Amino acid sequence: MDRVTVFDTTLRDGEQAAGGSLNIQEKLGIARQLEKLGVDIIEAGFPASSPGDSEAVSLITQEVRKPVICALARAHPDDIDRAWEAVEKAEHPRIHVFLSASDVHLVYQLKKSRDEILQMSHEMVARAKRYTDDVEFSPMDASRAEPAYIYQILEAVITAGATTVNIPDTVGYATPSEFGNFIEGIIRNVPNIGRAVVSVHCHNDLGLAVANSLEAVRRGARQVECTINGIGERAGNASLEEIVMAITTRSDFFNLTTNIDTTQIYKTSRLVSELTGFSIQPNKAIVGANAFRHESGIHQDGVIKMPITYEIIDPRTVGIPASSLVLGKLSGRHAFKERLAELGYSLNEADFNRVFRAFKELAEKKKEVADRDIESLVAEEQRTISEVYHLDRIQVSCGDRGIPTASVVLIDTDSQALADAALGAGPVDAAFKAIDKIVKVSNTLTEFSIKSITEGIDAIGEVLVRIESENITYTGRGADTDIIVASAKAYVNALNRLLTAKKVTS
Ligand code: KIV
Ligand code: ZN
């Protein structure tokens, strides 16, 4: 069977999603997990877009050695030089050059002729080729361009040294058979196409990104560009987990394989959701909370008798733990460690001790501690690493009489305890105002949401907040059985991200 290479762009196109910005350590964490997942190529960022992006790409090249590490560049000499500076230390570096190719972009945005674009594409690929052998080129908005012109561009960039030619459906306009015909046309009509891998990059504006990508591989494309949970610009990109599981589950139809370790899918999906703050819709294929839940009596009856009656994928194949054991306050270190390992976590001694302590505190309040609770505890502990301010304690008084009041104590990086209090319209407002009096960084709260991690009145509540400062959005999360505490943790988490980002920029 032929193998399709998986090019993950969660850290580049995925991070372009509105409100989804990640800090350097978070990007590194995701890159490490993508390596475990077995992706062939990680597009780690767009170095010319910001110093932070450049720093993140170069950090990833040093820490993640197995996959190809790719940096994006516009067809400008400076961008290409910056991309190379960021990836040069990689074990396997790649530069990805892109330039618009549709008339609508040429006329209204770039104000350049087709000939000029053709020449720039050739020259900039040749420039990248002087740095590395592994060069990818994308004619942006290819699906809305004239096919004959795309054939011409592809021939030119392959002559200049491109080893991968990527066909983007930039605005998610294509339909499967049309896009498949286009890919087949490229393979038939570009004379030197045999010297390059044909790749596809589909957006999801019409909900067709996965269908278009699958049709393209059926017609000869051998690289797919995709993101975890399908995150990305506007409606997102093709979802990695859906493409991979379609190819795996229907290998009888596609007759193709990938290098992906599917048992890492669930963990990767949770990590990306946690760090970007984008929740996964319950009915999302493969990784949604309901993807393997059977509600109707007829379905449940079938699954009990024989899972394949209504389950086309064994949940364990994608790494969803088949947990029967529920932990409680009598569970010891050993059982907890085993559960963590089953969930895919390997923590160092200090981190383990902190999470175990949090587990014991939770088990005192909650009779049964489920896997989702444990995942939330680990995430909460990881959030408190390298904080600028740590929420030490919070107290509120509220109700339908009197004025909601909050007092908070934060600990700063010099271990100083800083206390203040405030009144507010409600307890969360009062808590945030008290925190503001200490942190003193102006921002606007743009989103506040709360959800319970599991069923039951004693469940952990998880709060997500987004704040905006100087047109940049920062996401914070916090979890606790007390929703006011969870809210304060989430707000402090968002402020910590804002302060850290400002420190990096300055
Ligand atoms: O959607 C797009 O066209 C892109 C290119 C940079 C490949 O993201
Ligand atoms: Zn894109």
Side-chain angles (χ1 to χ4, degrees), residues 12-13 72 96 98 138 140 166 168 170 201 203:
R12 200 279 296 168
D13 214 324
L72 184 70
H96 177 187
F98 74 98
S138 295
M140 190 153 83
N166 178 47
T170 302
H201 175 112
H203 278 272

Side-chain angles (χ1 to χ4, degrees), residues 7 9 12-13 16 43 46 72-73 96-99 105 136-142 166-172 201-203 225 233-234 237:
F7 177 114
T9 183
R12 200 279 296 168
D13 214 324
Q16 267 172 241
E43 186 163 55
F46 183 2
L72 184 70
H96 177 187
V97 183
F98 74 98
L99 183 58
H105 281 205
E136 171 168 332
F137 180 81
S138 295
M140 190 153 83
D141 204 20
N166 178 47
I167 313 304
D169 180 22
T170 302
V171 290
H201 175 112
C202 298
H203 278 272
E225 301 200 353
E233 186 80 39
R234 304 180 311 278
N237 289 66

